[in-house]
Amino acid sequence: MNRRNTPAKEAILSLLSSSKRALSQDVIERQLDIKINRATIYRVLNRFYEDDIVHRIVAEDGKQYFAICEKNEKNQHHFHFRCSSCDTIECLHIPVDYKVPKGYNVKNANCVLTGSCNDCS
């Protein structure tokens, strides 16, 4: 779906594109160069998710993180890693292989591993 381009969308997309890790709404709000209210940030992130621009990662505490989808990543389920020391989440580009009972169709998988990242180990 074509949506109107706004300064908020451009700023959030630029920030997500330049990050190597998934970002939460509060981190996005702090790092933006322009002032955007929290509701607008959530609305933009949810539209990006609906349009397959980003994927959403829900950590075990319920906090949501967003990362840009790579070109070949749409509908590809993969693991994410959350560092319990520095509280960052990153995509581990290893496809998840799982089986579900016949008749089930998986639309989304949320696979988050928790521990210490390479920088904190």
Side-chain angles (χ1 to χ4, degrees), residues 28-85:
I28 291 170
E29 188 174 6
R30 281 195 307 269
Q31 292 184 3
L32 284 171
D33 292 334
I34 63 174
K35 186 71 176 163
I36 304 171
N37 70 48
R38 182 172 302 178
T40 300
I41 294 171
Y42 274 121
R43 189 170 42 253
V44 168
L45 290 170
N46 285 322
R47 285 184 185 148
F48 285 167
Y49 177 72
E50 291 168 4
D51 294 342
D52 287 327
I53 296 169
V54 300
H55 60 276
R56 180 183 351 213
I57 303 112
V58 181
E60 69 276 3
D61 62 358
K63 190 171 186 175
Q64 296 181 29
Y65 296 80
F66 298 85
I68 293 289
C69 292
E70 292 187 4
K71 288 180 184 173
N72 61 355
E73 188 176 81
K74 290 183 181 175
N75 298 323
Q76 177 199 20
H77 305 302
H78 59 272
F79 284 102
H80 299 92
F81 189 89
R82 180 182 165 278
C83 180
S84 52
S85 297

Side-chain angles (χ1 to χ4, degrees), residues 7-20:
K9 284 174 61 176
E10 289 179 11
I12 294 168
L13 187 59
S14 175
L15 184 61
L16 287 169
S17 296
S18 66
S19 178
K20 294 186 188 289

Side-chain angles (χ1 to χ4, degrees), residues 74-110:
K74 290 183 181 175
N75 298 323
Q76 177 199 20
H77 305 302
H78 59 272
F79 284 102
H80 299 92
F81 189 89
R82 180 182 165 278
C83 180
S84 52
S85 297
C86 64
D87 200 34
T88 58
I89 288 193
E90 59 187 298
C91 296
L92 301 176
H93 297 285
I94 302 166
V96 177
D97 187 23
Y98 54 87
K99 294 183 184 202
V100 295
K102 186 176 180 177
Y104 286 79
N105 183 16
V106 177
K107 183 177 180 181
N108 187 11
N110 189 34

